[in-house]
Amino acid sequence: MNRVDFDLKLIGFSVGTFLSWVVGGLGVAFLVLLGLMALDFVTGVMVAWKRQETASSVAYEKLPKKIYVILLVMAVWLIQTVAAAYAPEVQGLEWFTYTVDGICIAYIMIEFVSLLENGVALNVSMPGFLKHGLKVYHEMKKKEEGDLEEKDA
């Protein structure tokens, strides 16, 4: 994972956890994540079809990653549930009950970026600010990848 993706996930996690804490738990974030994953998968297959690539190669590449994210969210939820049940009196543990929402929102951001990329690949018209944000994201990724190559050399 490169630094730009890490930063985006960290921002999403932090904002998501905070928002979940402010409103007393979002809960719906996991369902939104599942919906965006499904949309990203379908649009990815559409892009593969447009490029006349094998749609199954897209499935083999994307599906294991999406399943892993779902398993990760489930694992954190299990840990969160155990912590809440067996250590409710531990001071400072309250924030932990909102981490699943934070993780979901971090991955929601990544799925949304992927949906935008698929939309661009399908030549779908979109607002300028979204195109600009995607351009900035890709420029930051390229710059970072160049910086990493210089360090390896």
Side-chain angles (χ1 to χ4, degrees):
M1 171 176 23
N2 62 36
R3 182 70 188 180
V4 175
D5 284 342
F6 176 78
D7 289 346
L8 187 60
K9 288 177 184 173
L10 181 61
I11 290 167
F13 170 77
S14 301
V15 170
T17 302
F18 177 74
L19 287 175
S20 181
W21 173 74
V22 167
V23 299
L26 297 175
V28 76
F30 184 64
L31 295 176
V32 172
L33 176 61
L34 291 176
L36 286 176
M37 285 179 159
L39 291 172
D40 179 48
F41 185 79
V42 170
T43 57
V45 171
M46 292 167 60
V47 169
W49 178 72
K50 180 183 180 201
R51 294 179 179 165
Q52 297 181 349
E53 296 173 358
T54 308
S56 61
S57 66
V58 173
Y60 287 126
E61 180 183 328
K62 284 190 168 190
L63 203 54
K65 292 176 184 178
K66 294 186 183 312
I67 291 171
Y68 172 78
V69 170
I70 292 168
L71 293 174
L72 176 67
V73 170
M74 291 170 66
V76 174
W77 179 81
L78 288 170
I79 293 167
Q80 173 181 301
T81 301
V82 168
Y86 292 103
E89 67 281 347
V90 176
Q91 293 290 2
L93 194 61
E94 299 85 23
W95 69 270
F96 191 66
T97 60
Y98 306 108
T99 54
V100 171
D101 288 335
I103 290 168
C104 287
I105 290 172
Y107 280 105
I108 284 169
M109 292 173 69
I110 296 297
E111 292 295 327
F112 185 70
V113 168
S114 184
L115 274 172
L116 290 177
E117 292 170 336
N118 290 343
V120 168
L122 291 168
N123 295 322
V124 174
S125 64
M126 63 179 64
F129 73 94
L130 290 177
K131 286 183 183 178
H132 179 71
L134 197 55
K135 180 181 175 187
V136 169
Y137 172 76
H138 285 292
E139 287 173 357
M140 290 173 64
K141 270 180 95 167
K142 276 185 186 177
K143 182 183 180 304
E144 182 180 309
E145 288 169 0
D147 291 346
L148 290 176
E149 288 174 5
E150 288 176 10
K151 286 182 182 178
D152 291 338

